[in-house]
């Protein structure tokens, strides 16, 4: 057969970005700088889906009123921080039941050994704690979350890369058995793995009780900042700003010129950490001032956030229904026109 004389190179399909965040607590500076900020930046690079992973959170949050509150707060926070529902599809994981059905299909091609190696379960087991099947199969639900939307790019922190590998493995096995049903995603590591330090200098994390929340009451936030641990070197002694967690926190929010001036101050010495803390209160306050204003507006209009989530869920269900229909067809579950995703 003669080859096409002027082959037109096929354009790569546009990226479809997807990520989820668990509503296990109010968002802190680590979540914002290590995850949320990147989600917001990526929404302009193509089609994007972002969701609040309430099904995953069920493995840790056991109080129904608290879970409802956290899901609502997460949605308000994300929109206030700049997630634009006109550009990105924002929804709640459990509003898309197609994903849980897809989880089962993937479970049937998932070797136990693969999940036994996953860190969330393994860590808990090594600490001698009882793990439930929800935690054990957590990566399969996460794989369904990704595959249900034909996502191609998944921005995540380093701790989640293993789970994307599991997702690729399961999708590959399913495709091998039943034909090309799923699109294989790739992880996109956010922020080069930079860790935001907490008030005690360790990695900021809910589990270490060292967080500063993005939308914490300003007076309470100020108190926390003023209590950030510092070393006891005398004021006159020059200090290296690099590696100093108070300076690192300041650098997250300070404009470039202020950052350079603060670094000079460290190198010169002769200042107290109290001054740096006050400056941190100021720059963080300025940095999140617009988001706080938007948050207050959204809170005053609860129907608006519900409408955003309902619209997001409708869009997400349409997409997930189509993928589930493909998967059911491929493995022999559907009988012609009754397959979900066909508008039947
Ligand atoms: P936590 O450790 O407080 O429970 P999560 O595990 O729920 O936080 O993290 C949600 C997202 O925020 C993940 O993508 C994670 O990589 C990111 N993240 C959490 N803490 C930090 C931090 N201290 N520095 C950078 N990114 C972080
Ligand atoms: N497991 C992720 C976390 O704890 C949250 C999550 C659930 C997720 N499903 C996802 C992230 C799908 C990316 C894609 O941070």
């Amino acid at each position: 057969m003669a080859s096409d004389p002027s082959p037109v190179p096929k354009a790569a399909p546009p990226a479809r970005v997807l990520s989820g965040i668990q509503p296990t607590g109010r968002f802190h500076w680590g979540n914002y700088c290590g995850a949320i900020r990147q989600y917001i930046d990526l929404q302009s690079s193509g089609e994007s889906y972002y969701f609040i992973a309430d099904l995953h959170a069920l493995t840790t949050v056991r109080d129904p009123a608290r879970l409802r509150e956290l899901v609502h707060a997460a949605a308000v926070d994300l929109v206030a921080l700049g997630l634009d529902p006109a550009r990105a599809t924002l929804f709640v994981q459990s509003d898309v039941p197609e994903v849980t059905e897809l989880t089962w299909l993937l479970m049937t091609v998932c070797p136990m050994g693969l999940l036994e190696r996953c860190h969330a379960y393994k860590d808990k087991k090594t600490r001698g704690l009882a793990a439930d099947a929800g935690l054990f199969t957590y990566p399969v639900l996460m794989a369904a979350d990704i595959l249900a939307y034909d996502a191609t790019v998944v921005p995540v922190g380093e701790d989640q890369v293993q789970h994307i590998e599991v997702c690729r493995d399961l999708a590959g096995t399913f495709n091998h058995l039943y034909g090309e049903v799923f699109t294989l995603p790739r992880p996109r590591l956010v922020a080069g793995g930079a860790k935001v330090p907490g008030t005690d200098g360790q990695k900021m994390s809910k589990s270490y009780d060292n967080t500063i929340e993005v939308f914490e009451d300003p007076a309470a936030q100020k108190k926390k900042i003023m209590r950030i641990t510092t070393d006891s070197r005398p004021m006159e002694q020059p200090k290296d700003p690099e590696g100093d967690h108070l300076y690192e926190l300041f650098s997250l929010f300070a404009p470039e010129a202020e950052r350079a001036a603060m670094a000079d101050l460290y190198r010169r010495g002769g200042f107290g950490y109290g001054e740096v803390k006050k400056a941190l209160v100021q720059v963080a306050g300025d940095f999140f001032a617009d988001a706080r204003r938007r948050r207050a507006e959204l809170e005053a209009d609860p129907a608006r956030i519900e409408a955003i989530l309902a619209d997001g869920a409708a869009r997400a269900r349409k997409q997930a229904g189509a993928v589930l229909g493909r998967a059911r067809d491929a493995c022999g579950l559907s009988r012609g026109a009754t397959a979900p995703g066909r508008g039947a």
Side-chain angles (χ1 to χ4, degrees):
M1 211 172 95
S3 61
D4 184 341
S6 56
V8 180
K10 260 198 193 158
R16 181 176 285 169
V17 179
L18 169 137
S19 200
I21 192 153
Q22 291 198 48
T24 45
R26 292 299 302 278
F27 297 139
H28 54 69
W29 287 357
N31 299 142
Y32 176 73
C33 297
I36 297 167
R37 180 155 59 180
Q38 281 78 2
Y39 297 175
I40 291 165
D41 289 347
L42 280 169
Q43 70 187 353
S44 51
S45 67
E47 212 184 331
S48 52
Y49 288 75
Y50 295 114
F51 64 90
I52 299 162
D54 59 344
L55 293 173
H56 279 110
L58 263 186
T59 64
T60 40
V61 184
R62 309 288 191 182
D63 172 346
R66 172 104 181 116
L67 184 60
R68 263 190 285 273
E69 204 179 281
L70 286 171
V71 168
H72 174 82
V76 176
D77 289 355
L78 290 171
V79 176
L81 287 167
L83 209 130
D84 177 1
R87 284 197 285 177
T89 300
L90 172 65
F91 61 100
V92 177
Q93 184 183 31
S94 66
D95 284 346
V96 186
E98 287 78 4
V99 167
T100 39
E101 183 172 344
L102 193 56
T103 303
W104 179 257
L105 303 193
L106 295 171
M107 207 94 88
T108 64
V109 298
C110 181
M112 296 285 284
L114 192 61
L115 298 182
E116 274 157 7
R117 286 194 295 277
C118 284
H119 60 74
Y121 167 74
K122 215 166 83 180
D123 292 354
K124 201 152 185 181
K125 210 165 160 237
T126 13
R127 283 188 285 142
L129 300 169
D132 52 43
L135 186 73
F136 184 65
T137 54
Y138 163 132
V140 189
L141 175 58
M142 181 158 162
D145 282 331
I146 297 168
L147 300 174
Y149 306 99
D150 284 327
T152 56
V153 178
V154 185
V156 282
E158 208 163 283
D159 55 324
Q160 298 297 320
V161 173
Q162 183 187 43
H163 297 151
I164 314 287
E165 284 310 314
V166 169
C167 173
R168 290 175 58 90
D169 250 31
L170 299 182
T173 308
F174 197 96
N175 284 355
H176 181 71
L177 280 168
Y178 299 120
E180 292 300 305
V181 172
F182 296 123
T183 307
L184 265 59
R186 51 193 172 76
R188 152 109 51 126
L189 254 191
V190 295
K195 301 255 183 293
V196 173
T199 51
D200 56 359
Q202 291 190 80
K203 179 193 172 202
M204 186 177 286
S205 169
K206 280 186 294 286
S207 341
Y208 303 147
D209 197 18
N210 64 356
T211 60
I212 300 176
E213 289 163 12
V214 174
F215 293 113
E216 196 156 357
D217 163 72
Q221 189 177 71
K222 182 173 178 191
K223 245 191 212 159
K224 262 194 196 170
I225 293 174
M226 297 311 289
R227 281 204 299 258
I228 291 175
T229 53
T230 49
D231 61 37
S232 51
R233 282 174 298 180
M235 277 175 63
E236 324 52 73
Q237 191 177 321
K239 302 166 182 83
D240 187 359
E242 301 310 325
D244 178 274
H245 60 272
L246 184 55
Y247 175 77
E248 276 176 48
L249 288 171
F250 179 81
S251 301
L252 294 174
F253 308 117
E256 182 51 40
E258 282 185 49
R259 209 181 312 164
M262 184 61 83
D264 279 349
L265 191 63
Y266 265 74
R267 292 194 190 98
R268 275 205 310 273
F271 70 97
Y273 283 121
E275 286 173 57
V276 189
K277 291 176 181 174
K278 279 193 199 134
L280 173 56
V281 170
Q282 182 68 43
V283 291
D286 292 349
F287 188 90
F288 289 113
D290 287 343
R292 274 191 192 269
R293 249 192 312 276
R294 280 196 296 268
R295 187 171 210 292
E297 283 165 22
L298 285 160
E299 273 297 42
D301 183 7
R304 172 136 177 255
I305 208 76
E306 281 314 315
I308 289 171
L309 293 177
D311 177 58
R315 285 194 262 164
R317 286 197 74 174
K318 192 155 172 247
Q319 175 62 33
V323 174
L324 178 62
R326 253 168 30 213
R328 288 179 58 114
D329 268 356
C331 66
L333 287 178
S334 56
R335 294 178 307 285
T338 60
R342 293 204 178 136

